[in-house]
Amino acid sequence: MLFRSAGAGRSARALVADVRATIWALEGAWASATATTWAGHGIKSHADGGRVAIADLVGMRWRETEVHLADLDLGPTWRDWSDDFVRADLVLMTARWASRRPMGMAALPQAALRLDPRERLAWLLGRHEVVGLDRKSTRLNSSHVSESRMPSSA
């Protein structure tokens, strides 16, 4: 079963309006951030409320943008993700896979390693099913792997 975001049932118009509003707010916060802010931490906006480096927000937003554009089902798919995004995020998601596996069993399955990098990333993010690979075992079924927000003091 493929992952579907909570906003999957919203109209494209509503999603675009939300993206526009949030990117304007985010870019405004980034533009006014001091070196101290960039060196600090924010609070995750999801389940555990853990802390994340503010500098990591750029990559998280990049993931959110690339992945959810494909989720809109307006034409672009995971096959259209940019080469730079795939190269950068595949490293992170592969490391995340390894971090959730028992010691000595952290390598991706051979069937996953045989996939094209773009297809492997789509599988790791739950956007593509691959016969013979168990999606449940990845536990990486969201582009919101480490979502964060700027602290109110930023």
Side-chain angles (χ1 to χ4, degrees):
M1 179 170 185
L2 296 178
F3 177 79
R4 289 186 53 91
S5 293
R10 295 172 58 202
S11 72
R13 179 180 292 243
L15 291 168
V16 168
D18 184 50
V19 169
R20 282 188 176 134
T22 59
I23 195 59
W24 291 333
L26 185 57
E27 287 180 356
W30 285 350
S32 64
T34 65
T36 302
T37 300
W38 282 107
H41 289 81
I43 300 170
K44 285 165 99 178
S45 62
H46 292 291
D48 69 3
R51 293 166 43 96
V52 63
I54 296 294
D56 290 345
L57 290 172
V58 177
M60 292 173 192
R61 184 61 175 199
W62 189 12
R63 176 186 302 123
E64 183 177 74
T65 303
E66 293 263 3
V67 171
H68 290 314
L69 174 61
D71 289 349
L72 287 173
D73 199 24
L74 296 175
T77 71
W78 57 263
R79 289 176 179 86
D80 300 304
W81 289 341
S82 69
D83 292 339
D84 288 337
F85 168 68
V86 171
R87 193 171 21 262
D89 214 47
L90 187 55
V91 170
L92 294 173
M93 297 313 295
T94 301
R96 189 150 315 207
W97 162 276
S99 75
R100 290 181 164 91
R101 308 295 292 175
M103 185 70 82
M105 299 178 70
L108 286 172
Q110 286 300 311
L113 293 172
R114 286 190 294 271
L115 298 173
D116 162 272
R118 197 169 260 98
E119 186 176 12
R120 188 178 324 135
L121 180 58
W123 174 73
L124 283 167
L125 290 171
R127 269 44 186 200
H128 178 60
E129 290 183 11
V130 177
V131 175
L133 287 176
D134 177 15
R135 270 293 312 129
K136 291 181 182 177
S137 65
T138 68
R139 298 194 198 318
L140 299 175
N141 65 349
S142 175
S143 67
H144 298 285
V145 174
S146 217
E147 282 304 315
S148 300
R149 61 181 165 83
M150 294 287 280
S152 58
S153 61

